[in-house]
């Protein structure tokens, strides 16, 4: 971006992996191992898995395989990812960004489950938002908008008054389907055409206006 965009919202909904936390090293290790076990090209697998729950990625990569097998694989991989936090770090600007949201309506909306999101946020040294929508909270994975709509409902804010922060194609599509403004974070986001794109969270400033409105300076 060459100019700063000014957005307004009444609540912010934050993805975790790729948005607040850089967990790419762990994701690559676990998913490339799975790809090899199933005779799939690792590079092609990595194009699919970001932003989705594991079982949903498997359903795309191995169409026709019984979902029971996908759910079982997903449970094992979540445990593997939770145990593998080597290289998990905060996205630049994430600690300051989260600190600026204290006292303002915001929620974590992630495809990770509670143990994985807890482990990764801790490994990155980040404070978890009080309101959290995790894999256990939803019946459908991103790009379905259910998670973001649940986050808005828990905060008592209309979907159209929310701004989503996301990095993946699936997440950006979910935010758009929920009727929300989407800020894309990082290099993966730009190709999926969110409303605004930033390199990282050092490029975002938050201001509480005082009437319940949050003003965002992005860029």
């Amino acid at each position: 971006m060459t100019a700063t965009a000014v957005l307004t919202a009444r609540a912010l909904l934050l993805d975790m992996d790729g948005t607040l936390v850089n967990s790419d090293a762990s994701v690559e290790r676990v998913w490339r191992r799975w790809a090899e076990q199933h005779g799939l090209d690792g590079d092609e697998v990595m194009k699919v898995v970001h932003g989705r729950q594991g079982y949903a990625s498997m359903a795309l990569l191995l169409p026709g395989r019984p979902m029971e097998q996908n759910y079982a694989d997903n449970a094992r991989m979540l445990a593997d990812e939770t145990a593998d936090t080597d290289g998990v770090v905060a996205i630049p600007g994430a600690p300051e960004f989260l600190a600026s949201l204290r006292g303002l309506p915001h929620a974590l909306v992630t495809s990770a489950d509670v143990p994985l999101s807890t482990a990764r946020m801790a490994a990155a040294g980040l404070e978890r938002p009080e309101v959290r929508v995790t894999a256990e909270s939803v019946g459908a994975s991103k790009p379905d908008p259910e998670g973001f709509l649940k986050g808005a409902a828990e905060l008592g804010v209309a979907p159209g008054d929310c701004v989503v922060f996301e990095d993946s194609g699936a997440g950006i599509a979910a935010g758009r389907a929920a009727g929300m403004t989407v800020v894309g974070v990082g290099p993966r986001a730009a190709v999926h055409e969110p409303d605004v794109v930033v390199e990282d969270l050092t490029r975002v400033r938050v201001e509480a206006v005082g009437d319940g409105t949050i003003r965002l300076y992005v860029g």
Side-chain angles (χ1 to χ4, degrees), residues 101-131:
L101 297 183
R102 289 180 189 141
L104 300 177
H106 67 288
L108 186 71
V109 181
T110 176
S111 293
D113 63 3
V114 169
L116 180 57
S117 59
T118 302
R120 285 190 174 158
M121 292 291 279
L126 296 177
E127 180 181 341
R128 290 186 301 154
E130 184 175 330
V131 177

PDB file of all heavy atoms in Angstrom, residues 101-131:
ATOM      1  N   LEU A 101      -5.909  -3.316  21.727  1.00  0.00           N
ATOM      2  CA  LEU A 101      -7.316  -3.733  21.692  1.00  0.00           C
ATOM      3  C   LEU A 101      -7.899  -3.992  23.071  1.00  0.00           C
ATOM      4  O   LEU A 101      -9.087  -4.293  23.188  1.00  0.00           O
ATOM      5  CB  LEU A 101      -7.461  -5.007  20.845  1.00  0.00           C
ATOM      6  CG  LEU A 101      -7.087  -4.879  19.371  1.00  0.00           C
ATOM      7  CD1 LEU A 101      -7.342  -6.200  18.654  1.00  0.00           C
ATOM      8  CD2 LEU A 101      -7.849  -3.754  18.695  1.00  0.00           C
ATOM      9  N   ARG A 102      -7.087  -3.886  24.121  1.00  0.00           N
ATOM     10  CA  ARG A 102      -7.610  -4.118  25.468  1.00  0.00           C
ATOM     11  C   ARG A 102      -8.765  -3.151  25.753  1.00  0.00           C
ATOM     12  O   ARG A 102      -8.648  -1.947  25.569  1.00  0.00           O
ATOM     13  CB  ARG A 102      -6.507  -3.935  26.501  1.00  0.00           C
ATOM     14  CG  ARG A 102      -5.476  -5.065  26.474  1.00  0.00           C
ATOM     15  CD  ARG A 102      -4.388  -4.865  27.493  1.00  0.00           C
ATOM     16  NE  ARG A 102      -3.304  -5.825  27.316  1.00  0.00           N
ATOM     17  CZ  ARG A 102      -2.020  -5.538  27.464  1.00  0.00           C
ATOM     18  NH1 ARG A 102      -1.651  -4.316  27.810  1.00  0.00           N
ATOM     19  NH2 ARG A 102      -1.100  -6.478  27.274  1.00  0.00           N
ATOM     20  N   GLY A 103      -9.865  -3.722  26.200  1.00  0.00           N
ATOM     21  CA  GLY A 103     -11.040  -2.912  26.490  1.00  0.00           C
ATOM     22  C   GLY A 103     -11.929  -2.656  25.293  1.00  0.00           C
ATOM     23  O   GLY A 103     -13.005  -2.072  25.446  1.00  0.00           O
ATOM     24  N   LEU A 104     -11.503  -3.101  24.112  1.00  0.00           N
ATOM     25  CA  LEU A 104     -12.307  -2.931  22.897  1.00  0.00           C
ATOM     26  C   LEU A 104     -12.860  -4.286  22.458  1.00  0.00           C
ATOM     27  O   LEU A 104     -12.227  -5.321  22.681  1.00  0.00           O
ATOM     28  CB  LEU A 104     -11.455  -2.334  21.771  1.00  0.00           C
ATOM     29  CG  LEU A 104     -10.830  -0.964  22.035  1.00  0.00           C
ATOM     30  CD1 LEU A 104      -9.963  -0.542  20.853  1.00  0.00           C
ATOM     31  CD2 LEU A 104     -11.908   0.078  22.320  1.00  0.00           C
ATOM     32  N   PRO A 105     -14.028  -4.307  21.828  1.00  0.00           N
ATOM     33  CA  PRO A 105     -14.614  -5.587  21.411  1.00  0.00           C
ATOM     34  C   PRO A 105     -13.772  -6.266  20.327  1.00  0.00           C
ATOM     35  O   PRO A 105     -13.574  -5.711  19.241  1.00  0.00           O
ATOM     36  CB  PRO A 105     -15.989  -5.192  20.866  1.00  0.00           C
ATOM     37  CG  PRO A 105     -16.266  -3.833  21.430  1.00  0.00           C
ATOM     38  CD  PRO A 105     -14.928  -3.170  21.549  1.00  0.00           C
ATOM     39  N   HIS A 106     -13.271  -7.442  20.631  1.00  0.00           N
ATOM     40  CA  HIS A 106     -12.515  -8.203  19.651  1.00  0.00           C
ATOM     41  C   HIS A 106     -12.544  -9.667  20.028  1.00  0.00           C
ATOM     42  O   HIS A 106     -12.802 -10.018  21.186  1.00  0.00           O
ATOM     43  CB  HIS A 106     -11.076  -7.699  19.524  1.00  0.00           C
ATOM     44  CG  HIS A 106     -10.223  -7.922  20.730  1.00  0.00           C
ATOM     45  ND1 HIS A 106     -10.375  -7.205  21.906  1.00  0.00           N
ATOM     46  CD2 HIS A 106      -9.200  -8.796  20.961  1.00  0.00           C
ATOM     47  CE1 HIS A 106      -9.492  -7.602  22.791  1.00  0.00           C
ATOM     48  NE2 HIS A 106      -8.766  -8.575  22.247  1.00  0.00           N
ATOM     49  N   ALA A 107     -12.298 -10.534  19.054  1.00  0.00           N
ATOM     50  CA  ALA A 107     -12.340 -11.975  19.287  1.00  0.00           C
ATOM     51  C   ALA A 107     -11.328 -12.663  18.390  1.00  0.00           C
ATOM     52  O   ALA A 107     -11.018 -12.190  17.294  1.00  0.00           O
ATOM     53  CB  ALA A 107     -13.733 -12.524  19.009  1.00  0.00           C
ATOM     54  N   LEU A 108     -10.837 -13.790  18.877  1.00  0.00           N
ATOM     55  CA  LEU A 108     -10.015 -14.686  18.074  1.00  0.00           C
ATOM     56  C   LEU A 108     -10.959 -15.645  17.355  1.00  0.00           C
ATOM     57  O   LEU A 108     -11.834 -16.244  17.976  1.00  0.00           O
ATOM     58  CB  LEU A 108      -9.068 -15.469  18.981  1.00  0.00           C
ATOM     59  CG  LEU A 108      -8.028 -16.363  18.303  1.00  0.00           C
ATOM     60  CD1 LEU A 108      -6.955 -15.512  17.632  1.00  0.00           C
ATOM     61  CD2 LEU A 108      -7.401 -17.306  19.323  1.00  0.00           C
ATOM     62  N   VAL A 109     -10.800 -15.783  16.038  1.00  0.00           N
ATOM     63  CA  VAL A 109     -11.607 -16.722  15.252  1.00  0.00           C
ATOM     64  C   VAL A 109     -10.643 -17.581  14.454  1.00  0.00           C
ATOM     65  O   VAL A 109     -10.107 -17.149  13.435  1.00  0.00           O
ATOM     66  CB  VAL A 109     -12.596 -16.000  14.323  1.00  0.00           C
ATOM     67  CG1 VAL A 109     -13.436 -17.028  13.556  1.00  0.00           C
ATOM     68  CG2 VAL A 109     -13.497 -15.054  15.110  1.00  0.00           C
ATOM     69  N   THR A 110     -10.392 -18.799  14.921  1.00  0.00           N
ATOM     70  CA  THR A 110      -9.336 -19.628  14.362  1.00  0.00           C
ATOM     71  C   THR A 110      -9.824 -21.028  14.024  1.00  0.00           C
ATOM     72  O   THR A 110     -10.736 -21.553  14.677  1.00  0.00           O
ATOM     73  CB  THR A 110      -8.150 -19.717  15.345  1.00  0.00           C
ATOM     74  OG1 THR A 110      -7.155 -20.618  14.822  1.00  0.00           O
ATOM     75  CG2 THR A 110      -8.592 -20.216  16.718  1.00  0.00           C
ATOM     76  N   SER A 111      -9.195 -21.631  13.013  1.00  0.00           N
ATOM     77  CA  SER A 111      -9.491 -23.013  12.666  1.00  0.00           C
ATOM     78  C   SER A 111      -8.769 -23.998  13.580  1.00  0.00           C
ATOM     79  O   SER A 111      -8.995 -25.203  13.491  1.00  0.00           O
ATOM     80  CB  SER A 111      -9.117 -23.288  11.202  1.00  0.00           C
ATOM     81  OG  SER A 111      -9.956 -22.562  10.334  1.00  0.00           O
ATOM     82  N   ALA A 112      -7.884 -23.493  14.434  1.00  0.00           N
ATOM     83  CA  ALA A 112      -7.218 -24.345  15.422  1.00  0.00           C
ATOM     84  C   ALA A 112      -8.187 -24.679  16.553  1.00  0.00           C
ATOM     85  O   ALA A 112      -9.153 -23.946  16.805  1.00  0.00           O
ATOM     86  CB  ALA A 112      -5.994 -23.631  15.997  1.00  0.00           C
ATOM     87  N   ASP A 113      -7.919 -25.794  17.242  1.00  0.00           N
ATOM     88  CA  ASP A 113      -8.723 -26.111  18.413  1.00  0.00           C
ATOM     89  C   ASP A 113      -8.132 -25.421  19.644  1.00  0.00           C
ATOM     90  O   ASP A 113      -7.139 -24.688  19.540  1.00  0.00           O
ATOM     91  CB  ASP A 113      -8.866 -27.621  18.610  1.00  0.00           C
ATOM     92  CG  ASP A 113      -7.540 -28.347  18.870  1.00  0.00           C
ATOM     93  OD1 ASP A 113      -6.487 -27.683  18.959  1.00  0.00           O
ATOM     94  OD2 ASP A 113      -7.578 -29.589  18.979  1.00  0.00           O
ATOM     95  N   VAL A 114      -8.749 -25.635  20.802  1.00  0.00           N
ATOM     96  CA  VAL A 114      -8.301 -24.934  22.014  1.00  0.00           C
ATOM     97  C   VAL A 114      -6.855 -25.283  22.377  1.00  0.00           C
ATOM     98  O   VAL A 114      -6.035 -24.385  22.613  1.00  0.00           O
ATOM     99  CB  VAL A 114      -9.262 -25.217  23.194  1.00  0.00           C
ATOM    100  CG1 VAL A 114      -8.660 -24.730  24.507  1.00  0.00           C
ATOM    101  CG2 VAL A 114     -10.603 -24.535  22.953  1.00  0.00           C
ATOM    102  N   PRO A 115      -6.471 -26.569  22.415  1.00  0.00           N
ATOM    103  CA  PRO A 115      -5.075 -26.862  22.780  1.00  0.00           C
ATOM    104  C   PRO A 115      -4.064 -26.257  21.808  1.00  0.00           C
ATOM    105  O   PRO A 115      -3.034 -25.713  22.245  1.00  0.00           O
ATOM    106  CB  PRO A 115      -5.022 -28.391  22.763  1.00  0.00           C
ATOM    107  CG  PRO A 115      -6.420 -28.833  23.026  1.00  0.00           C
ATOM    108  CD  PRO A 115      -7.265 -27.819  22.327  1.00  0.00           C
ATOM    109  N   LEU A 116      -4.341 -26.328  20.508  1.00  0.00           N
ATOM    110  CA  LEU A 116      -3.387 -25.798  19.528  1.00  0.00           C
ATOM    111  C   LEU A 116      -3.309 -24.278  19.592  1.00  0.00           C
ATOM    112  O   LEU A 116      -2.219 -23.703  19.574  1.00  0.00           O
ATOM    113  CB  LEU A 116      -3.777 -26.248  18.123  1.00  0.00           C
ATOM    114  CG  LEU A 116      -2.871 -25.762  16.983  1.00  0.00           C
ATOM    115  CD1 LEU A 116      -1.428 -26.182  17.218  1.00  0.00           C
ATOM    116  CD2 LEU A 116      -3.376 -26.272  15.643  1.00  0.00           C
ATOM    117  N   SER A 117      -4.457 -23.613  19.682  1.00  0.00           N
ATOM    118  CA  SER A 117      -4.429 -22.147  19.742  1.00  0.00           C
ATOM    119  C   SER A 117      -3.767 -21.669  21.028  1.00  0.00           C
ATOM    120  O   SER A 117      -3.008 -20.691  21.021  1.00  0.00           O
ATOM    121  CB  SER A 117      -5.846 -21.569  19.622  1.00  0.00           C
ATOM    122  OG  SER A 117      -6.693 -22.045  20.643  1.00  0.00           O
ATOM    123  N   THR A 118      -3.994 -22.378  22.126  1.00  0.00           N
ATOM    124  CA  THR A 118      -3.354 -22.026  23.394  1.00  0.00           C
ATOM    125  C   THR A 118      -1.847 -22.178  23.287  1.00  0.00           C
ATOM    126  O   THR A 118      -1.075 -21.302  23.699  1.00  0.00           O
ATOM    127  CB  THR A 118      -3.895 -22.893  24.526  1.00  0.00           C
ATOM    128  OG1 THR A 118      -5.314 -22.726  24.619  1.00  0.00           O
ATOM    129  CG2 THR A 118      -3.259 -22.519  25.858  1.00  0.00           C
ATOM    130  N   ALA A 119      -1.397 -23.299  22.708  1.00  0.00           N
ATOM    131  CA  ALA A 119       0.036 -23.561  22.581  1.00  0.00           C
ATOM    132  C   ALA A 119       0.726 -22.546  21.677  1.00  0.00           C
ATOM    133  O   ALA A 119       1.822 -22.052  21.996  1.00  0.00           O
ATOM    134  CB  ALA A 119       0.259 -24.979  22.054  1.00  0.00           C
ATOM    135  N   ARG A 120       0.106 -22.238  20.553  1.00  0.00           N
ATOM    136  CA  ARG A 120       0.762 -21.327  19.607  1.00  0.00           C
ATOM    137  C   ARG A 120       0.779 -19.891  20.109  1.00  0.00           C
ATOM    138  O   ARG A 120       1.780 -19.186  19.938  1.00  0.00           O
ATOM    139  CB  ARG A 120       0.087 -21.427  18.234  1.00  0.00           C
ATOM    140  CG  ARG A 120       0.482 -22.699  17.501  1.00  0.00           C
ATOM    141  CD  ARG A 120       0.040 -22.716  16.075  1.00  0.00           C
ATOM    142  NE  ARG A 120       0.569 -23.899  15.396  1.00  0.00           N
ATOM    143  CZ  ARG A 120       0.050 -24.426  14.296  1.00  0.00           C
ATOM    144  NH1 ARG A 120      -1.023 -23.871  13.740  1.00  0.00           N
ATOM    145  NH2 ARG A 120       0.604 -25.494  13.739  1.00  0.00           N
ATOM    146  N   MET A 121      -0.294 -19.436  20.707  1.00  0.00           N
ATOM    147  CA  MET A 121      -0.293 -18.078  21.250  1.00  0.00           C
ATOM    148  C   MET A 121       0.743 -17.955  22.368  1.00  0.00           C
ATOM    149  O   MET A 121       1.460 -16.952  22.467  1.00  0.00           O
ATOM    150  CB  MET A 121      -1.681 -17.701  21.740  1.00  0.00           C
ATOM    151  CG  MET A 121      -2.726 -17.541  20.646  1.00  0.00           C
ATOM    152  SD  MET A 121      -2.491 -16.098  19.574  1.00  0.00           S
ATOM    153  CE  MET A 121      -3.226 -14.809  20.628  1.00  0.00           C
ATOM    154  N   ALA A 122       0.854 -18.994  23.200  1.00  0.00           N
ATOM    155  CA  ALA A 122       1.847 -18.977  24.273  1.00  0.00           C
ATOM    156  C   ALA A 122       3.261 -18.993  23.709  1.00  0.00           C
ATOM    157  O   ALA A 122       4.143 -18.264  24.179  1.00  0.00           O
ATOM    158  CB  ALA A 122       1.632 -20.164  25.202  1.00  0.00           C
ATOM    159  N   ALA A 123       3.504 -19.831  22.702  1.00  0.00           N
ATOM    160  CA  ALA A 123       4.831 -19.919  22.107  1.00  0.00           C
ATOM    161  C   ALA A 123       5.243 -18.580  21.490  1.00  0.00           C
ATOM    162  O   ALA A 123       6.426 -18.223  21.508  1.00  0.00           O
ATOM    163  CB  ALA A 123       4.860 -21.009  21.046  1.00  0.00           C
ATOM    164  N   ALA A 124       4.260 -17.849  20.957  1.00  0.00           N
ATOM    165  CA  ALA A 124       4.535 -16.549  20.348  1.00  0.00           C
ATOM    166  C   ALA A 124       4.554 -15.415  21.371  1.00  0.00           C
ATOM    167  O   ALA A 124       4.836 -14.269  21.016  1.00  0.00           O
ATOM    168  CB  ALA A 124       3.490 -16.250  19.274  1.00  0.00           C
ATOM    169  N   GLY A 125       4.235 -15.742  22.631  1.00  0.00           N
ATOM    170  CA  GLY A 125       4.232 -14.723  23.670  1.00  0.00           C
ATOM    171  C   GLY A 125       3.084 -13.743  23.557  1.00  0.00           C
ATOM    172  O   GLY A 125       3.216 -12.576  23.940  1.00  0.00           O
ATOM    173  N   LEU A 126       1.949 -14.218  23.059  1.00  0.00           N
ATOM    174  CA  LEU A 126       0.808 -13.337  22.823  1.00  0.00           C
ATOM    175  C   LEU A 126      -0.323 -13.632  23.797  1.00  0.00           C
ATOM    176  O   LEU A 126      -0.580 -14.786  24.157  1.00  0.00           O
ATOM    177  CB  LEU A 126       0.287 -13.513  21.399  1.00  0.00           C
ATOM    178  CG  LEU A 126       1.247 -13.121  20.275  1.00  0.00           C
ATOM    179  CD1 LEU A 126       0.615 -13.424  18.918  1.00  0.00           C
ATOM    180  CD2 LEU A 126       1.628 -11.644  20.370  1.00  0.00           C
ATOM    181  N   GLU A 127      -1.003 -12.578  24.192  1.00  0.00           N
ATOM    182  CA  GLU A 127      -2.165 -12.679  25.069  1.00  0.00           C
ATOM    183  C   GLU A 127      -3.379 -13.110  24.257  1.00  0.00           C
ATOM    184  O   GLU A 127      -3.671 -12.522  23.207  1.00  0.00           O
ATOM    185  CB  GLU A 127      -2.417 -11.316  25.720  1.00  0.00           C
ATOM    186  CG  GLU A 127      -3.588 -11.245  26.655  1.00  0.00           C
ATOM    187  CD  GLU A 127      -3.763  -9.847  27.240  1.00  0.00           C
ATOM    188  OE1 GLU A 127      -2.802  -9.064  27.215  1.00  0.00           O
ATOM    189  OE2 GLU A 127      -4.868  -9.559  27.717  1.00  0.00           O
ATOM    190  N   ARG A 128      -4.089 -14.124  24.716  1.00  0.00           N
ATOM    191  CA  ARG A 128      -5.280 -14.584  23.989  1.00  0.00           C
ATOM    192  C   ARG A 128      -6.463 -13.661  24.273  1.00  0.00           C
ATOM    193  O   ARG A 128      -6.721 -13.313  25.425  1.00  0.00           O
ATOM    194  CB  ARG A 128      -5.634 -16.008  24.397  1.00  0.00           C
ATOM    195  CG  ARG A 128      -4.658 -17.067  23.902  1.00  0.00           C
ATOM    196  CD  ARG A 128      -5.163 -18.458  24.216  1.00  0.00           C
ATOM    197  NE  ARG A 128      -5.369 -18.657  25.641  1.00  0.00           N
ATOM    198  CZ  ARG A 128      -6.223 -19.530  26.166  1.00  0.00           C
ATOM    199  NH1 ARG A 128      -6.970 -20.275  25.382  1.00  0.00           N
ATOM    200  NH2 ARG A 128      -6.338 -19.655  27.472  1.00  0.00           N
ATOM    201  N   PRO A 129      -7.200 -13.261  23.242  1.00  0.00           N
ATOM    202  CA  PRO A 129      -8.419 -12.489  23.475  1.00  0.00           C
ATOM    203  C   PRO A 129      -9.384 -13.243  24.381  1.00  0.00           C
ATOM    204  O   PRO A 129      -9.417 -14.483  24.384  1.00  0.00           O
ATOM    205  CB  PRO A 129      -8.994 -12.318  22.062  1.00  0.00           C
ATOM    206  CG  PRO A 129      -7.806 -12.397  21.158  1.00  0.00           C
ATOM    207  CD  PRO A 129      -6.899 -13.408  21.814  1.00  0.00           C
ATOM    208  N   GLU A 130     -10.160 -12.512  25.113  1.00  0.00           N
ATOM    209  CA  GLU A 130     -11.105 -13.131  26.048  1.00  0.00           C
ATOM    210  C   GLU A 130     -12.164 -13.938  25.308  1.00  0.00           C
ATOM    211  O   GLU A 130     -12.586 -15.006  25.758  1.00  0.00           O
ATOM    212  CB  GLU A 130     -11.776 -12.043  26.895  1.00  0.00           C
ATOM    213  CG  GLU A 130     -12.696 -12.578  27.967  1.00  0.00           C
ATOM    214  CD  GLU A 130     -13.237 -11.467  28.857  1.00  0.00           C
ATOM    215  OE1 GLU A 130     -12.546 -10.453  29.047  1.00  0.00           O
ATOM    216  OE2 GLU A 130     -14.365 -11.633  29.359  1.00  0.00           O
ATOM    217  N   VAL A 131     -12.626 -13.425  24.162  1.00  0.00           N
ATOM    218  CA  VAL A 131     -13.612 -14.130  23.347  1.00  0.00           C
ATOM    219  C   VAL A 131     -12.862 -14.905  22.263  1.00  0.00           C
ATOM    220  O   VAL A 131     -12.074 -14.338  21.509  1.00  0.00           O
ATOM    221  CB  VAL A 131     -14.616 -13.151  22.712  1.00  0.00           C
ATOM    222  CG1 VAL A 131     -15.588 -13.899  21.798  1.00  0.00           C
ATOM    223  CG2 VAL A 131     -15.383 -12.394  23.803  1.00  0.00           C
TER     224      VAL A 131
END
